[in-house]
Amino acid sequence: MLPENFLKRMETLLGEEYPNYLESIEEPRHHALRINTLRGSVAGIRTLFPELVNPVLWEETGMYYGAELPMGKHPLHEAGAYYIQEPSAMAPGHYLEAKPGERVLDLCAAPGGKTTQIAAAMKGMGLLISNEIHPTRAKILSENVERMGIRNCLVTNETPVKLAKNFPEFFHRIMVDAPCSGEGMFRKNETATENWSEENVALCAARQKEILSCAQEMLLPGGRLVYSTCTFAPEENEQVIEWFLKEYPEFEEEDVQLCEGMVKGYGNHQGAIRLFPHKLSGEGHFVCVLRKRGKIPEEIGIKSMKSLSEKEIADYRAWEKKSLAVKMEGTFLRFGDELYVAPKDCPELKGLKVLRPGLHLATLKKGRIEPAHALSHALTKEELLPETGCFFEMDDLRVKAYLHGETFPVEGENGFRLVFVENYGTGWGKNTGGILKNHYPKGLRTQF
């Protein structure tokens, strides 16, 4: 049962379309995934899953699938070949239009759908900072960044205020997928209705204004900011934008092209978009595209972190030379025994809560190297020396055995081997006398 006051508000908002909305929320919700082009091609996944025939109109890598398909319990899901994401939630990332080589911030990022979409658009080039204020959700975000094989992402667990102090006018693009009352997800998540109230709508609107105030400080002149919510409430959508434009007149809305089924936001808002479940195959969403007037400067005066020297990473380089066909480049960082590589010119992180300072490369153990699970998901088949890989088709019984944490016989020399499922790196094992000792993380082991 939907709250009575909510239904009255929706009837006022939609007018003659209100009965169509009521019909739509009684229908089954739509299931979709986004193919991870950092790790493989759209055509490749569609070959493996011929059931994926209907594309999401506003995301070229998005595909609908039937609820009967267990896409969340599949070896290629564990390998990061795709990300399960509500189709309307793919729209904000589409309109952010992130480009390779830019500096991008996803300010309210958990669980990671928009971060992983942005990362794919950046193609591993540039700097992506993905932030989540809640520690538990930030951990989930970090795990999804790892699973999708993202190399150029730093995951932080900070307040927007703290980030704004550290990164004044630093980012080319910022995503603000703001916490909201969640009205657009009532069909998908029935428990969300229990927390709804008009008072909560007002509280969310106040919080959204605070977040946007911090976000605007971090955007470069000429930069793009995308604000989104998954609610219908005008107080959290158009009214927040109206407040923002009055408070920060250096911003303006950008007129954007709508996809089929989308409608313009209410009022005089050329950059605002509404997604309704009775008009398209997805849940309720709001998106607004904002631009900061001015020209993007060529140089930014923020201190970069110092990379470890080649001497300090000599053990890793020796392992890399005999195992990989590529040489990792960037800012090398060490935290205890853990070695990471962050993007080149990575900004100073001192004083920030950082969960993932770039790509986790390895654990350094008394003169020997243990490659990190994150590295297994970041490497492609072409970046690995042939003798370092073990290759299986997705229906091979050894794949399930590996994901369960079991061992099995292999051929070749002793040493670490990267287990591939349909050419997607899934995790490490260590060949010891013809037996592959399982190094798949215990916390990720599955029982499907």
Side-chain angles (χ1 to χ4, degrees):
M1 293 292 292
L2 296 177
E4 183 178 348
N5 284 354
F6 165 74
L7 291 175
K8 290 180 179 178
R9 289 162 60 92
M10 290 302 293
E11 185 173 13
T12 301
L13 187 70
L14 293 173
E16 62 183 16
E17 293 184 15
Y18 178 64
N20 297 332
Y21 166 73
L22 290 181
E23 289 180 11
S24 72
I25 59 176
E26 294 298 325
E27 297 172 355
R29 69 182 183 90
H30 299 275
H31 297 264
L33 57 81
R34 189 170 32 75
I35 296 167
N36 183 10
T37 52
L38 291 175
R39 311 216 58 212
S41 68
V42 173
I45 290 296
R46 292 186 66 177
T47 298
L48 295 171
F49 299 101
E51 303 91 343
L52 301 176
V53 294
N54 297 316
V56 176
L57 296 179
W58 44 90
E59 172 51 61
E60 61 183 2
T61 66
M63 304 293 298
Y64 292 95
Y65 66 91
E68 74 280 359
L69 294 177
M71 301 304 291
K73 295 182 179 181
H74 193 282
L76 289 185
H77 178 266
E78 303 306 306
Y82 53 83
Y83 188 100
I84 294 174
Q85 188 174 19
E86 196 283 309
S88 291
M90 300 179 192
H94 165 78
Y95 285 106
L96 187 66
E97 297 183 357
K99 300 291 191 299
E102 294 181 330
R103 294 183 298 276
V104 182
L105 171 66
D106 188 358
L107 187 52
C108 314
K114 294 172 180 64
T115 280
T116 56
Q117 184 179 6
I118 293 166
M122 296 176 72
K123 299 179 180 179
M125 294 176 278
L127 172 68
L128 172 59
I129 294 182
S130 186
N131 181 71
E132 173 57 44
I133 191 171
H134 299 288
T136 301
R137 287 170 55 80
K139 183 179 178 182
I140 295 170
L141 168 64
S142 184
E143 291 170 351
N144 279 321
V145 167
E146 177 178 281
R147 181 172 63 87
M148 301 298 277
I150 302 170
R151 302 186 183 192
N152 61 325
C153 182
L154 312 182
V155 178
T156 57
N157 173 213
E158 276 299 348
T159 65
V161 171
K162 185 73 172 289
L163 289 178
K165 290 179 180 179
N166 279 264
F167 300 112
E169 293 196 339
F170 180 72
F171 296 100
H172 296 91
R173 299 175 196 268
I174 296 178
M175 171 68 72
V176 177
D177 184 41
C180 68
S181 59
E183 296 174 353
M185 296 295 153
F186 283 175
R187 177 172 65 174
K188 179 184 175 184
N189 182 10
E190 293 183 2
T191 59
T193 63
E194 299 173 4
N195 297 321
W196 186 89
S197 68
E198 293 182 324
E199 291 76 15
N200 189 44
V201 168
L203 287 173
C204 287
R207 186 184 305 121
Q208 290 151 3
K209 292 175 182 178
E210 292 174 0
I211 294 171
L212 279 173
S213 293
C214 295
Q216 62 83 26
E217 292 184 45
M218 295 183 275
L219 191 68
L220 285 166
R224 173 176 282 205
L225 189 157
V226 169
Y227 173 76
S228 71
T229 72
C230 57
T231 191
F232 300 119
E235 297 95 323
E236 301 178 65
N237 295 330
E238 289 89 354
Q239 291 178 25
V240 167
I241 297 302
E242 290 166 6
W243 168 86
F244 182 77
L245 293 175
K246 289 179 181 179
E247 194 75 13
Y248 304 102
E250 65 271 28
F251 279 81
E252 61 184 358
E253 291 184 62
E254 283 199 34
D255 194 7
V256 292
Q257 184 175 357
L258 274 61
C259 297
E260 183 180 350
M262 296 179 179
V263 296
K264 285 285 188 181
Y266 297 110
N268 185 27
H269 291 285
Q270 62 180 5
I273 307 165
R274 287 252 184 187
L275 289 79
F276 288 105
H278 63 284
K279 288 182 172 290
L280 44 71
S281 298
E283 305 306 314
H285 233 82
F286 174 85
V287 184
C288 189
V289 181
L290 301 159
R291 188 181 72 86
K292 195 173 188 178
R293 294 184 177 90
K295 184 179 179 181
I296 295 177
E298 294 182 3
E299 296 184 4
I300 308 298
I302 285 194
K303 184 179 179 181
S304 299
M305 294 193 71
K306 183 180 179 181
S307 178
L308 297 172
S309 67
E310 285 295 312
K311 182 178 180 180
E312 290 173 300
I313 60 171
D315 288 344
Y316 167 77
R317 287 296 196 204
W319 175 86
E320 181 183 69
K321 186 175 181 180
K322 68 179 183 180
S323 303
L324 309 184
V326 294
K327 184 178 181 181
M328 292 291 177
E329 301 292 348
T331 302
F332 287 86
L333 307 170
R334 182 169 179 173
F335 298 88
D337 292 334
E338 308 305 323
L339 181 66
Y340 291 80
V341 60
K344 184 181 178 182
D345 300 324
C346 176
E348 180 61 60
L349 304 175
K350 187 176 181 180
L352 295 177
K353 297 175 185 175
V354 181
L355 273 67
R356 183 169 296 275
L359 175 62
H360 189 193
L361 292 175
T363 301
L364 311 178
K365 292 190 173 183
K366 297 180 180 179
R368 63 184 177 90
I369 294 292
E370 185 173 299
H373 182 67
L375 182 61
S376 73
H377 279 57
L379 292 169
T380 64
K381 178 182 176 181
E382 293 73 24
E383 293 175 318
L384 200 73
L385 294 179
E387 58 270 24
T388 311
C390 294
F391 301 92
F392 305 105
E393 295 180 356
M394 62 185 185
D395 57 356
D396 192 308
L397 292 178
R398 288 171 292 183
V399 171
K400 285 190 175 181
Y402 176 72
L403 295 175
H404 291 172
E406 299 172 18
T407 62
F408 48 83
V410 292
E411 298 179 354
E413 297 180 2
N414 287 347
F416 281 99
R417 298 288 179 265
L418 179 46
V419 175
F420 280 84
V421 180
E422 299 288 355
N423 294 327
Y424 288 87
T426 306
W428 297 99
K430 190 173 185 180
N431 184 4
T432 305
I435 299 296
L436 190 73
K437 303 294 185 181
N438 201 308
H439 280 248
Y440 196 71
K442 291 182 180 180
L444 299 178
R445 292 176 183 177
T446 63
Q447 296 300 320
F448 54 77

